[in-house]
Amino acid sequence: MAVCVHLIVPSDLNMFAGMLLGGFIGMVLMLFMMLVLMPFFGAFEVMIPLHLNGMLIGMGSGMLSTLPSLAWEQIILGGAVVGFFVSLYIYFANQSLIQS
């Protein structure tokens, strides 16, 4: 998601506009990924992590893509770290709901 947002958002854009455009791109990607992954993994395991990742990574990557001092590897690494921790949080939240 961070790669696609970084490739689409121009670097000369305002940071606020980059955040809005990145959030929109993240939500569009999230909808496509949701339709592809939901039949295999179920709605809870797909929708909540993708919505959070689409919003957080899309908006964050859109804002960071407007900064010329950051390399694209740093933006992608940031998106991967945020996505990992959101997915990990949802996994453990799901496990606690199943056990209770």
Side-chain angles (χ1 to χ4, degrees):
M1 205 171 289
V3 174
C4 294
V5 170
H6 179 69
L7 291 175
I8 296 173
V9 173
S11 62
D12 60 345
L13 197 62
N14 183 359
M15 190 177 272
F16 182 71
M19 179 186 69
L20 292 177
L21 182 60
F24 177 73
I25 294 167
M27 288 295 148
V28 169
L29 288 172
M30 177 271 313
L31 287 173
F32 175 72
M33 290 171 59
M34 187 178 67
L35 292 174
V36 171
L37 295 174
M38 206 179 323
F40 301 110
F41 299 108
F44 183 82
E45 288 80 10
V46 172
M47 287 179 67
I48 295 173
L50 282 179
H51 279 83
L52 290 173
N53 284 331
M55 191 171 42
L56 292 174
I57 295 172
M59 292 171 76
S61 299
M63 285 180 11
L64 293 176
S65 295
T66 61
L67 298 175
S69 62
L70 288 177
W72 64 274
E73 293 94 354
Q74 294 170 328
I75 296 171
I76 294 169
L77 180 65
V81 167
V82 169
F84 174 74
F85 282 117
V86 165
S87 299
L88 195 66
Y89 173 74
I90 295 299
Y91 174 77
F92 285 121
N94 189 17
Q95 291 301 317
S96 69
L97 289 175
I98 289 173
Q99 293 175 358
S100 60

